[in-house]
Each structure stands twice: as C-alpha cells, then as structure tokens.
Amino acid sequence: MRGLIARWLLPTVALLMVACGGGEKRHAEAHDIEGEVWDNTEEFVYNNQDSLAVRDIAIIVRYDMDYVADSVPLRILTISPDSLIYEEPFTLHIPHLADMYPEEHTFVYRRNVTLQRKGDYRFRITPEAPVEGIMAVGMVLSDKE
C-alpha cells in the first residue's frame, strides 16, 4: 500500500506544479516511509546542470491519522558536487486537519537559492526522533523565472 503513496504523490505533485507553475522547471522526488515510523535518513539527489538558475527548495510530507506530533525537528545535510558539506536544523510544523487523512503538506525550505556547481547535490533529511504517521517524504526544486 505504501508503494502506492509515492506513485500517487509524485504524479499529483507534478500535475499541480504544471497547472500552477506557469511553465517553471521543477524537479520532484518522493520516497515512501517503510513501516509505521519515520526514523531513517531520506536522501534526495539533484543533478544540477545550470549553475546560474535561481531556485526554491521545498519539502513535501504525506501523513495519516497516526501522526500526532505538533512539530518534527529535522537535520538537513547538503553535500555539493565538490564535496562541501552543510548541515542545519529545520523544523516542520505539520497542521492537523480533522477527518482529512491522508494529508499532504509542502514546506518551503529555501527561497532564491543558486546551486553554484554543476553535478549531483545530495540532500539528506533525518528526523531527530522517530515520528509516527509519516507516510512519504519528498523534495521539490523549482526554477524561478
């Protein structure tokens, strides 16, 4: 069943971005969370070919009624193509919407970012503590016009 989530999440995100994005170039990737608890690092790889483009980066979370926390503290580690590493804390404040599960929410992580090197950027998102009810996690990079 969880395999269906990513297959549903990614096409839905892509369709919404095309419909609402005004022709912006976007890269979206989502991973199902195995089991009932998110407690492992999810890695997303983005192959950057335009070192001048300005982008927004967002995190997408899909959750069900088992999610009861008010917030999810994360560590986000970024590794650039030339092996520079940057890690920082980031907290998701996920809203509870009664009777609307499963639910999906998008969080802006960074705005107006320029990835200055060509090649693979690795983004590793790790919850600081296990979180129940998270079904899928994704990352979206969208070029600004």
Side-chain angles (χ1 to χ4, degrees), residues 34-111:
E34 296 297 326
E36 299 297 319
V37 177
W38 180 27
D39 58 358
N40 290 320
T41 298
E42 295 297 323
E43 181 174 275
F44 303 91
V45 179
Y46 175 71
N47 185 272
N48 184 44
Q49 294 303 311
D50 187 347
S51 60
L52 300 176
V54 178
R55 297 181 176 87
D56 289 342
I57 302 174
I59 297 169
I60 299 171
V61 177
R62 185 163 176 78
Y63 54 101
D64 63 17
M65 65 185 130
D66 292 333
Y67 172 77
V68 295
D70 290 327
S71 61
V72 179
L74 306 172
R75 301 293 305 172
I76 300 178
L77 180 115
T78 304
I79 304 172
S80 68
D82 57 351
S83 300
L84 291 176
I85 297 173
Y86 178 73
E87 184 177 31
E88 66 181 326
F90 187 77
T91 301
L92 304 176
H93 296 282
I94 302 175
H96 292 275
L97 303 173
D99 299 327
M100 296 186 68
Y101 293 103
E103 184 61 40
E104 185 177 302
H105 198 77
T106 302
F107 302 88
V108 175
Y109 168 58
R110 289 279 176 250
R111 289 193 188 277

Side-chain angles (χ1 to χ4, degrees), residues 20-33:
C20 302
E24 293 181 29
K25 290 179 13 181
R26 295 179 189 242
H27 171 81
E29 182 179 344
H31 301 167
D32 286 340
I33 300 302

Side-chain angles (χ1 to χ4, degrees), residues 9-28:
L9 179 65
L10 200 52
T12 301
V13 169
L15 181 62
L16 287 173
M17 290 178 180
V18 170
C20 302
E24 293 181 29
K25 290 179 13 181
R26 295 179 189 242
H27 171 81

